[in-house]
Amino acid sequence: MQTTENSVRGLRRAATEHRPGSGRFRCPSGGESLLCRRTSGTHAGGRQGAAEPLHPCVQPRRRFVLRFLGVCASLVLLGSLVWGSRAFAAGDREFLHLWLVPLFGVYMLLMVTPAALLLLIPARTKRGSLLQLIGLVLPLLVAGMACALCWGDPTDDVNALALAMATIGLSWVGALTFHVPGLLLNVVLAALTKRKTA
């Protein structure tokens, strides 16, 4: 009875004892029991299923991309609010109520998200980071157009159409013709590199 109790205690201690530098658990007896191997497999499998952290050299570029996208989104929101407030002051039929102005800003912000959607995916390689930095041209253009065209006459349908095409149209068309091919190119090159090194 005493021997069985000591064996159970030893197995419990083995489940909590980890060998430094390896993903396996060590038993006090020096060998590896069935319980140790099962616990080790569970631990390693859980670690493999978790998201791999970004490499330290990639993190500064990742922070720059996120901050750049935040600035562009703020500029789009600001331009939309300027356009909406000027339309409300001019008595535009679509901005009869003041609460429609911030709603229009949020609507415009949501409509230009394709320009930044694929850029939110973390890049884990130098090539991916380079393609993301090139892709920042699109949200920059959208933000610039939103700030430049918000001063047009809000009662003129031509100016309203120009604002929509220069922001929403550019965002969607640019994402489909620029970001999506860039993503596919990165995937293909990564697969070829992996196949070459294998």
Side-chain angles (χ1 to χ4, degrees), residues 43 72 78 80 83 85 95 109 114 121 123 139 149 156-157 195:
H43 180 73
C72 291
L78 180 62
S80 304
W83 174 272
S85 60
F95 291 90
L109 196 59
I121 301 176
L149 298 177
D156 189 359
D157 292 338
R195 183 178 179 181

Side-chain angles (χ1 to χ4, degrees), residues 8-193:
V8 171
R9 287 179 182 174
L11 289 175
R12 288 178 180 173
R13 218 179 302 123
T16 59
E17 194 172 329
H18 185 263
R19 178 183 299 169
S22 69
R24 309 196 62 145
F25 289 81
R26 183 179 58 188
C27 293
S29 60
E32 296 204 8
S33 68
L34 180 62
L35 176 62
C36 297
R37 288 194 292 272
R38 284 181 180 175
T39 311
S40 172
T42 306
H43 180 73
R47 200 169 46 180
Q48 290 175 356
E52 184 182 352
L54 292 175
H55 196 273
C57 68
V58 180
Q59 291 178 0
R61 282 173 280 182
R62 177 66 178 163
R63 286 194 296 267
F64 172 77
V65 169
L66 293 178
R67 290 170 184 172
F68 191 91
L69 292 177
V71 171
C72 291
S74 302
L75 292 176
V76 170
L77 181 60
L78 180 62
S80 304
L81 292 178
V82 169
W83 174 272
S85 60
R86 295 182 73 249
F88 174 76
D92 194 336
R93 60 184 180 274
E94 295 184 2
F95 291 90
L96 295 178
H97 303 284
L98 187 60
W99 60 270
L100 291 173
V101 174
L103 188 63
F104 174 71
V106 175
Y107 167 78
M108 288 292 292
L109 196 59
L110 291 176
M111 290 302 293
V112 300
T113 49
L117 200 58
L118 292 179
L119 298 176
L120 295 176
I121 301 176
R124 301 182 181 275
T125 61
K126 293 181 179 179
R127 181 178 56 250
S129 298
L130 177 61
L131 290 175
Q132 276 198 339
L133 292 177
I134 297 174
L136 291 177
V137 174
L138 183 59
L140 179 62
L141 287 175
V142 172
M145 290 297 182
C147 292
L149 298 177
C150 67
W151 300 103
D153 186 6
T155 58
D156 189 359
D157 292 338
V158 176
N159 289 334
L161 181 62
L163 178 66
M165 291 301 295
T167 53
I168 300 174
L170 180 62
S171 175
W172 284 82
V173 174
L176 291 176
T177 60
F178 188 52
H179 284 176
V180 173
L183 177 64
L184 294 178
L185 177 64
N186 187 30
V187 171
V188 171
L189 291 178
L192 291 176
T193 305

